Amino acid sequence: MTHASLAQRQRGDVQVHGLTHRFGQGRPVLHDLDLTIRAGEFVALLGRSGSGKSTLLRMLAGLERPTRGQVVVPANKAVMFQESRLLPWMRVWQNVALATLPEGKADRSGAERLLGEVGLSHRTEAWPLTLSGGEAQRVALSRALMRDPDFIMLDEPFGALDALTRLQMQRLVLRLWSRHACSILLVTHDVDEALLLADRVLVLQEGRIHMDVPIDIPRPRHHADPDFEALRTTLLNALGVFGD
Ligand SMILES: Nc1ncnc2c1ncn2[C@@H]1O[C@H](COP(=O)(O)OP(=O)(O)OP(=O)(O)O)[C@@H](O)[C@H]1O
């Protein structure tokens, strides 16, 4: 292996080999899955409800151990969920700075800088319960970025937001991704969201990768672009939407 490719792997490749998982004695939820996410790549994971998306994300996040197989993930990683999971008794900046506490000190200026990046400079002193849903997710994004992670996992991060806020958040994620040069795995139910954001879209079906589609449309992307529409049809077909 060359120095360059070794450095790249150390910086952030995610590698999954032969991953199989079952809960208890049930049938496998993930079947012998292989997957690579290259450093800096933005991958979206689509799949019908119950196809195993969150289970795969939890394995990558180290929250669940696979029944069988190998998972190699950068040590410096972060996860963000559909709920912001902020601590209500801490101010916004403290919730963000909390991510650095394992290193021993609360980095207030780092937290405030990131809150500025997500457009919340004016809310650093606020209590989480006074935030809108979109603001709370911006705080959660800042917290995820606090330790300058190589790999971020986003599990339906905008699923609970209204359509307009969701569009704003999608644009924000793209900006943050290009600025912070990390890899991202986005779990979503939203085909358009996957197509707007990702370099590559994976379709998970009953625990297997049924489709792996590179999205070669230049950014910024538009819903009405014919290539976008063609890929939307392909992905909706793969999800079985037209078969119901
Ligand atoms: N802790 C658990 N114990 C038993 N079964 C589980 C557990 N977690 C998930 N499952 C099962 O594993 C399968 C995959 O679940 P998972 O949550 O990964 O799907 P998903 O694709 O993320 O679904 P959704 O889009 O609805 O969130 C489902 O059949 C689910 O019932």
Side-chain angles (χ1 to χ4, degrees):
M1 185 178 290
T2 65
H3 281 306
S5 59
L6 182 65
Q8 203 178 45
R9 280 186 63 149
Q10 285 168 344
R11 163 82 184 142
D13 273 15
V14 171
Q15 309 234 354
V16 171
H17 299 293
L19 178 66
T20 295
H21 191 68
R22 65 176 80 229
F23 291 101
Q25 298 304 309
R27 62 189 181 85
V29 169
L30 299 172
H31 295 261
D32 198 19
L33 206 127
D34 292 321
L35 168 66
T36 300
I37 301 174
R38 288 181 297 282
E41 197 177 20
F42 196 140
V43 174
L45 182 62
L46 283 172
R48 299 183 82 148
S49 183
S51 57
K53 303 183 296 297
S54 294
T55 304
L56 175 58
L57 182 134
R58 289 176 60 78
M59 305 271 147
L60 296 177
L63 299 170
E64 194 103 49
R65 279 168 63 91
T67 308
R68 204 171 56 235
Q70 204 193 356
V71 175
V72 181
V73 178
N76 192 356
K77 56 185 181 291
V79 198
M80 177 181 159
F81 299 95
Q82 185 165 336
E83 332 77 57
S84 57
R85 303 191 181 190
L86 303 178
L87 301 176
W89 59 87
M90 286 191 168
R91 294 185 188 276
V92 160
W93 77 263
Q94 290 170 317
N95 266 281
V96 177
L98 204 62
T100 52
L101 277 185
E103 277 91 58
K105 60 175 174 52
D107 176 4
R108 180 168 186 160
S109 63
E112 287 178 342
R113 182 176 44 78
L114 281 169
L115 286 163
E117 277 191 41
V118 301
L120 284 182
S121 294
H122 59 301
R123 301 293 269 145
T124 61
E125 291 283 344
W127 299 106
L129 291 176
T130 68
L131 302 175
S132 69
E135 286 172 337
Q137 287 306 73
R138 285 170 193 261
V139 178
L141 263 178
S142 307
R143 185 181 51 190
L145 288 166
M146 190 64 191
R147 297 176 66 231
D148 194 20
D150 296 319
F151 178 44
I152 304 186
M153 290 151 273
L154 305 172
D155 194 358
E156 285 276 346
F158 316 130
L161 303 178
D162 66 87
L164 203 61
T165 308
R166 199 178 170 111
L167 285 176
Q168 289 172 331
M169 294 299 286
Q170 289 164 350
R171 299 231 305 265
L172 174 64
V173 162
L174 270 187
R175 277 205 306 279
L176 294 171
W177 171 62
S178 56
R179 197 176 296 160
H180 290 266
C182 49
S183 330
I184 294 185
L185 178 67
L186 167 73
V187 169
T188 179
H189 281 114
D190 182 340
V191 171
D192 278 20
E193 180 166 282
L195 285 173
L196 272 177
L197 301 182
D199 294 320
R200 190 151 66 96
V201 178
L202 307 175
V203 178
L204 200 61
Q205 199 177 72
E206 294 177 5
R208 301 175 201 270
I209 294 179
H210 170 62
M211 223 177 206
D212 183 341
V213 190
I215 312 300
D216 294 323
I217 307 172
R219 298 180 178 90
R221 297 175 181 162
H222 301 284
H223 295 79
D225 182 317
D227 291 339
F228 193 105
E229 288 186 345
L231 281 165
R232 181 195 289 128
T233 305
T234 304
L235 290 171
L236 288 171
N237 268 320
L239 290 164
V241 172
F242 296 136
D244 284 351

